[in-house]
C-alpha cells in the first residue's frame, strides 16, 4: 500500500513538473515571439533637407488593415531621359526605418533624384513614425508597400514605379512587385527566399536558442498575430511569376552573415530574366556602403534599361556595355 502511494506521489510530482516546464517553455517561446515581432523602434535621425532635397511629409493608410503610415515624397527637379514620370519607392529592412540603415538611404535618394527619378521613402508598420503593429517579416508589410504604390500612383499620377528594398524590404518588394502592374522593376538587396525555411535555419543566429525551438516560436507568433502565416512570405515563388518585361535585380554580399547569399542565388535561379550581383565585400545590406559608386551605377543602368521598355515614344532599345 505504501509502495502504491509512493508511486502515485511520484507520478503526481512528475506530471506537475512536466506541466510547469511546459508552461515555462510556452512562456519563453511567446516572449521570443513577442520580441521578434516588436523590435526596438528607431527614431528618424535625418531628413531630405540635409541633402538639399525638397520634400513633402506624407501620411497615408494601409488599404487592407488601415494602419497609419508615414513617409516622404521627394520630387525630382532634374530632367531625365524619359518622357513620363518615374518613381522609386524605398523599402527598409527589419528593425530599421526610412533613414536608419547601415548606409545612408537619403544619399542614394539624392543620386536618384539627380537622374530625374522621384523617390518615395516611408516607414513600415512598427517603424519610424508609422503606427505600431506587430512586425511580420514581410507578411503584412507587403500590404504596407502595396498601399505605398497606390499612394504614389493615385496622388502623383505616376504609373511607372520601381521598388528598391533591403533585407525584409527586399523580400517585401519582390512579393509586392509580383502583384502590382505599376511596378516595372524591382531591386532586392539581401532577401531570403522562404521565411519558414530561413527562420528555422537562422533561428539560433537571431535568438541564441537551439534550432529545435524555431517551430514552437513560429506557432507562438501565429497565435499573437492572427492571420499571419509564415508560409505566405516566400519571395522565391513570387519571383517565378514575373513577366518578361518586369525586371528583377538581386544584390547580395558574399560575406553576409545574417542572410547567406545562397538565398538570392535560389531566387535568381528560379526567376527567368533576373540579374544577380554578388559583391565580395561587406556584411548584411552593406554593399552600398562599400561600393557606393559602382552600386549607384549598376542600379541606375538597371532602372534606365527596364523603364525605357515602357516609354510610349521610345522604340529603339538602349544597350549598356
Amino acid at each position: 500500500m505504501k509502495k502504491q502511494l509512493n508511486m502515485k506521489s511520484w507520478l503526481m510530482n512528475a506530471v506537475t513538473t512536466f506541466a510547469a516546464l511546459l508552461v515555462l517553455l510556452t512562456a519563453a517561446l511567446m516572449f521570443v515571439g513577442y520580441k521578434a515581432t516588436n523590435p526596438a523602434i528607431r527614431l528618424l535621425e535625418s531628413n531630405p533637407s540635409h541633402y538639399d532635397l525638397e520634400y513633402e511629409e506624407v501620411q497615408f493608410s494601409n488599404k487592407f488593415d488601415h494602419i497609419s503610415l508615414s513617409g516622404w515624397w521627394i520630387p525630382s527637379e532634374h530632367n531625365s531621359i524619359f518622357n513620363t514620370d518615374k518613381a522609386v519607392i524605398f523599402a527598409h529592412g527589419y528593425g530599421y526605418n526610412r533613414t536608419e540603415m547601415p548606409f545612408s538611404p537619403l544619399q542614394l535618394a539624392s543620386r536618384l533624384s539627380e537622374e530625374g527619378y522621384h523617390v518615395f521613402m516611408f516607414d513600415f508598420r512598427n517603424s519610424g513614425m508609422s503606427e505600431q503593429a506587430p512586425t511580420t517579416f514581410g507578411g503584412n508589410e507587403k500590404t504596407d508597400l502595396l498601399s505605398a504604390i497606390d499612394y504614389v500612383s493615385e496622388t502623383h499620377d505616376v504609373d511607372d514605379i520601381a521598388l528598391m528594398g533591403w533585407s525584409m524590404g527586399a523580400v517585401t518588394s519582390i512579393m509586392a512587385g509580383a502583384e502590382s502592374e505599376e511596378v516595372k522593376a524591382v531591386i532586392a538587396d539581401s532577401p531570403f527566399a522562404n521565411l519558414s525555411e530561413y527562420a528555422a535555419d537562422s533561428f539560433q543566429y537571431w535568438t541564441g536558442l537551439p534550432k529545435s525551438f524555431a517551430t514552437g516560436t513560429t506557432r507562438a507568433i501565429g497565435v499573437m498575430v492572427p492571420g499571419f502565416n509564415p508560409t505566405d512570405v516566400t519571395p522565391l515563388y513570387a519571383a517565378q511569376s514575373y513577366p518578361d518585361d518586369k525586371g528583377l535585380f538581386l544584390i547580395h554580399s558574399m560575406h553576409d552573415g545574417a542572410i547567406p547569399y545562397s538565398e538570392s542565388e535560389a531566387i535568381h535561379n528560379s526567376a527567368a530574366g533576373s540579374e544577380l550581383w554578388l559583391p565580395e565585400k561587406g556584411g548584411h545590406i552593406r554593399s552600398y556602403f562599400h561600393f557606393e559608386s559602382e552600386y549607384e551605377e549598376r542600379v541606375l543602368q538597371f532602372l534606365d534599361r527596364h523603364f525605357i521598355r515602357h516609354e510610349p515614344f521610345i522604340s529603339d532599345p538602349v544597350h549598356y556595355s
Side-chain angles (χ1 to χ4, degrees):
M1 185 68 156
K2 185 176 180 181
K3 193 173 183 180
Q4 289 179 338
L5 288 173
N6 288 337
M7 178 62 69
K8 185 176 180 181
S9 176
W10 182 87
L11 287 173
M12 288 293 294
N13 288 335
V15 169
T16 301
T17 300
F18 177 78
L21 290 173
L22 188 61
V23 169
L24 287 173
L25 176 61
T26 301
L29 295 177
M30 293 289 284
F31 176 76
V32 172
Y34 175 82
K35 294 293 288 183
T37 55
N38 291 273
I41 296 177
R42 298 170 183 249
L43 299 177
L44 303 183
E45 299 292 344
S46 57
N47 65 61
S49 67
H50 297 158
Y51 289 82
D52 296 322
L53 294 169
E54 297 292 329
Y55 69 102
E56 174 188 342
E57 294 276 3
V58 172
Q59 294 288 331
F60 65 105
S61 295
N62 181 300
K63 291 192 171 184
F64 299 84
D65 60 11
H66 309 296
I67 293 292
S68 178
L69 303 168
S70 178
W72 294 317
W73 172 250
I74 306 173
S76 176
E77 299 178 347
H78 300 273
N79 294 326
S80 74
I81 64 172
F82 306 110
N83 296 310
T84 56
D85 285 345
K86 315 294 181 188
V88 180
I89 300 176
F90 284 6
H92 65 77
Y94 170 84
Y96 291 106
N97 60 42
R98 72 186 101 154
T99 67
E100 302 308 305
M101 283 196 279
F103 59 93
S104 172
L106 280 168
Q107 182 173 326
L108 181 57
S110 178
R111 179 62 197 279
L112 292 174
S113 178
E114 288 175 5
E115 300 299 327
Y117 288 104
H118 307 306
V119 179
F120 187 58
M121 305 173 68
F122 77 102
D123 299 320
F124 283 120
R125 63 187 58 214
N126 223 28
S127 304
M129 302 300 292
S130 290
E131 184 177 346
Q132 293 188 30
T135 299
T136 55
F137 321 105
N140 291 333
E141 286 76 15
K142 180 185 74 172
T143 64
D144 291 345
L145 185 50
L146 287 170
S147 299
I149 294 167
D150 287 347
Y151 167 81
V152 170
S153 177
E154 295 169 6
T155 305
H156 298 284
D157 196 27
V158 178
D159 294 325
D160 289 340
I161 294 171
L163 306 178
M164 187 165 188
W166 294 266
S167 193
M168 180 187 76
V171 168
T172 307
S173 295
I174 294 171
M175 296 191 299
E179 298 183 19
S180 173
E181 292 183 359
E182 287 80 15
V183 174
K184 306 302 190 295
V186 173
I187 300 165
D189 188 329
S190 311
F192 54 75
N194 180 308
L195 177 57
S196 296
E197 294 179 3
Y198 171 70
D201 292 340
S202 66
F203 186 78
Q204 190 168 15
Y205 175 91
W206 289 107
T207 67
L209 296 173
K211 184 177 177 179
S212 56
F213 283 32
T215 300
T217 302
T218 301
R219 290 174 179 168
I221 290 173
V223 171
M224 292 186 290
V225 189
F228 170 56
N229 186 349
T231 61
D232 292 337
V233 186
T234 311
L236 177 72
Y237 298 149
Q240 293 173 356
S241 69
Y242 275 37
D244 292 339
D245 63 346
K246 183 171 291 192
L248 174 60
F249 181 25
L250 296 151
I251 303 171
H252 214 129
S253 169
M254 297 181 72
H255 293 280
D256 191 331
I259 301 177
Y261 71 89
S262 57
E263 298 285 312
S264 281
E265 286 186 319
I267 298 172
H268 172 59
N269 291 335
S270 69
S274 64
E275 303 175 32
L276 176 64
W277 176 34
L278 300 175
E280 296 182 356
K281 184 179 180 181
H284 188 54
I285 61 172
R286 284 170 170 79
S287 295
Y288 182 52
F289 177 83
H290 290 285
F291 300 95
E292 179 184 315
S293 296
E294 183 179 2
Y295 194 105
E296 290 177 352
E297 291 308 313
R298 284 178 178 266
V299 165
L300 286 166
Q301 288 186 11
F302 173 80
L303 291 174
D304 291 350
R305 189 166 67 250
H306 284 277
F307 272 135
I308 211 160
R309 297 179 179 183
H310 302 275
E311 276 294 280
F313 307 115
I314 300 178
S315 57
D316 295 329
V318 173
H319 300 281
Y320 294 89
S321 58

